[in-house]
Amino acid sequence: MSTDTRQRLLDGALAAVRHHGVAGVSARTIAAAAGVNQALVFYHFGSVDELLAAACDAATSARVEAYATQLQAVRSLRDLLDVGRRLHEEERRLGNVMVLAQLLAGAQSEPRLVEPTARALGLWVEQIEATLTRVLAGSPVAEVADIPGLARAVSAAFVGLELYEGVDADGARWALGALEQLAVLVEVVDDLGQVAQRALKAKVRRKRVVKR
Amino acid sequence: MSTDTRQRLLDGALAAVRHHGVAGVSARTIAAAAGVNQALVFYHFGSVDELLAAACDAATSARVEAYATQLQAVRSLRDLLDVGRRLHEEERRLGNVMVLAQLLAGAQSEPRLVEPTARALGLWVEQIEATLTRVLAGSPVAEVADIPGLARAVSAAFVGLELYEGVDADGARWALGALEQLAVLVEVVDDLGQVAQRALKAKVRRKRVVKR
DNA sequence: GTCTATAGTAGGATAGAC
DNA sequence: GTCTATCCTACTATAGAC
């Protein structure tokens, strides 16, 4: 059946990227992973790049959707850290972040991959941004933090950490732990009394004025 | 001359990775960029991967050395941000972060690239860690922040940002701006009076105990 | 050390049988 | 829709002339 083969190719493309990286992926390795004939890559998708683009789109939408409800339930920074850690571990286990990292690397010199990878990363950014906005509402941190920018930084950082993990697993775990600990600082600030918070906000505003 | 050709190949390798990515780099593209014959890649380095490894090593040592004195002169967070921004812009202009990102992507499925890329990233981590340790000494932030872990997180994040920049330049700039602004929070905390700082430190310690 | 030439392999893509 | 067969290109790597 056609739809079945298409799906096998989409799955095979992800598997091949996980296993061989962008540098080693080809119509042949994808077809092998999918258990179908090599010519079908071109029949169904036209070219290897277009198949990779489609696979990236499909995989990311599916994963983001799977986490949307969990993220929407997040109300505190502590919740966010819990969901974030679960999300990171699961995506890593499924190899999805790796695929995104590899395709981003490929997109740097393959224009046809730019749009799909940007869109995929954009889907994650969207979710993270909405969640951060909700969680940090009213916090003094919201005075300093540019939340849309922060959501983008977090997304990019996870890609970098994934690549780092591949060459130094201990170092990457260390880095991840440090980021989680850093969130404690935000909690501490949020737990300050009203008076101290107001003083802090004032200080922050003064700094920002000076800075510009 | 031999040493001249070796150098041309090392430079050519970096140029080729910048231009074609790991996925598109080959003995031929490197030789073309170096303006030498393709067979010399194998004569001087044995294989493409070994040349890439050597180029990665050489380039990173050179760049880290070039920044070591500037980083050692950093005494405040404001200094660090200034040097950090200059460093980031220059490395980006030279395309060095891109090379590291591409080789990290390649290393995920090419074991021979693991050691050189880990070492290259390690050189940056070393510098950043030493600088952070110096700058944050005595700050309440040092109570929460696991500095070695943070140095690793920062290094990995820059790699991710570089890849992000390739598919969404505006988003990446936004992210970078957000991270710089976040540093203001640290400054604010550092500028608190003695009493407030002591109170904050105590709060942080309590949090950490609870957390474990 | 550097070049030419070439063997051998892998990949993109298409034509045509089924 | 799927498979076989095939063309063409680009690659790694080496042998051998200079």
Side-chain angles (χ1 to χ4, degrees):
Chain A
M1 206 197 297
S2 168
T3 61
D4 185 50
T5 298
R6 271 186 70 92
Q7 192 55 51
R8 290 168 76 92
L9 280 170
L10 289 170
D11 295 340
L14 297 176
V17 170
R18 276 194 285 271
H19 205 210
H20 305 286
V22 249
V25 84
S26 72
R28 286 169 155 84
T29 57
I30 291 172
V36 304
N37 190 280
Q38 170 258 147
L40 294 176
V41 168
F42 304 96
Y43 176 77
H44 285 286
F45 295 93
S47 73
V48 174
D49 284 339
E50 283 169 283
L51 168 50
L52 290 177
C56 177
D57 260 351
T60 309
S61 324
R63 297 311 304 159
V64 168
E65 211 168 312
Y67 265 97
T69 49
Q70 281 193 60
L71 280 171
Q72 275 155 20
V74 166
R75 285 286 173 279
S76 70
L77 194 63
R78 188 54 58 102
D79 285 356
L80 181 56
L81 282 179
D82 284 347
V83 173
R85 187 193 328 230
R86 276 209 307 280
L87 190 152
H88 168 246
E89 272 164 19
E90 187 163 348
E91 291 311 291
R92 170 153 185 80
R93 195 175 49 77
L94 295 173
N96 245 292
V97 189
M98 188 67 250
V99 170
L100 190 50
Q102 290 291 330
L103 293 185
L104 276 174
Q108 308 296 318
S109 41
E110 179 52 71
R112 305 175 88 169
L113 287 179
V114 169
E115 201 196 299
T117 50
R119 193 166 40 234
L121 207 48
L123 287 177
W124 283 115
V125 167
E126 202 179 305
Q127 291 292 320
I128 296 172
E129 184 176 340
T131 310
L132 279 180
T133 303
R134 198 157 5 88
V135 169
L136 293 181
S139 160
V141 175
E143 299 275 329
V144 235
D146 167 15
I147 296 185
L150 210 56
R152 283 158 178 80
V154 168
S155 306
F158 269 78
V159 169
L161 278 169
E162 177 77 15
L163 292 176
Y164 184 27
E165 192 148 10
V167 303
D168 180 1
D170 289 339
R173 265 193 297 275
W174 202 349
L176 213 56
L179 290 179
E180 288 189 352
Q181 257 200 314
L182 204 62
V184 172
L185 186 61
V186 177
E187 287 196 327
V188 166
V189 171
D190 283 0
D191 287 358
L192 292 176
Q194 292 283 329
V195 183
Q197 279 213 10
R198 258 200 296 279
L200 208 58
K201 282 189 186 181
K203 237 183 214 304
V204 164
R205 282 196 204 99
R206 232 172 303 137
K207 275 276 185 214
R208 291 177 66 188
V209 171
V210 171
K211 215 183 167 188
R212 286 170 187 175
Chain B
M1 205 193 300
S2 167
T3 59
D4 185 50
T5 298
R6 272 187 69 92
Q7 192 55 52
R8 291 168 75 91
L9 281 170
L10 289 169
D11 295 339
L14 298 176
V17 169
R18 276 194 285 270
H19 205 211
H20 306 285
V22 249
V25 86
S26 72
R28 284 166 152 81
T29 57
I30 292 173
V36 304
N37 190 282
Q38 169 258 150
L40 293 176
V41 168
F42 304 96
Y43 176 78
H44 284 286
F45 296 94
S47 73
V48 174
D49 285 339
E50 282 169 282
L51 168 51
L52 290 177
C56 178
D57 261 352
T60 310
S61 323
R63 297 310 304 159
V64 168
E65 212 167 310
Y67 266 97
T69 49
Q70 281 194 59
L71 280 170
Q72 275 154 21
V74 166
R75 284 287 172 279
S76 69
L77 195 62
R78 189 51 60 103
D79 285 356
L80 181 55
L81 282 179
D82 283 347
V83 173
R85 187 193 327 230
R86 276 209 308 279
L87 190 152
H88 169 246
E89 272 165 18
E90 188 164 346
E91 291 312 291
R92 169 152 186 83
R93 196 176 48 78
L94 295 174
N96 245 292
V97 190
M98 188 69 250
V99 170
L100 191 50
Q102 290 291 330
L103 293 184
L104 276 173
Q108 309 297 318
S109 41
E110 179 50 73
R112 305 174 89 170
L113 287 179
V114 169
E115 202 196 300
T117 50
R119 193 164 43 233
L121 208 47
L123 287 176
W124 283 115
V125 166
E126 203 179 305
Q127 290 293 320
I128 296 171
E129 184 176 340
T131 310
L132 280 179
T133 303
R134 199 156 7 85
V135 169
L136 293 180
S139 159
V141 175
E143 301 273 332
V144 236
D146 167 15
I147 295 185
L150 210 55
R152 284 160 176 79
V154 168
S155 306
F158 269 78
V159 170
L161 279 169
E162 177 76 15
L163 291 176
Y164 184 26
E165 192 148 11
V167 304
D168 181 1
D170 289 339
R173 265 194 297 276
W174 202 348
L176 212 58
L179 290 179
E180 289 189 352
Q181 258 201 315
L182 204 62
V184 172
L185 187 61
V186 178
E187 286 196 327
V188 166
V189 171
D190 283 359
D191 286 358
L192 291 175
Q194 293 282 328
V195 183
Q197 278 212 10
R198 258 201 297 279
L200 208 57
K201 283 189 186 182
K203 234 180 215 307
V204 164
R205 281 196 205 97
R206 232 173 301 136
K207 274 276 186 213
R208 289 178 65 189
V209 171
V210 171
K211 215 186 168 188
R212 284 167 186 176

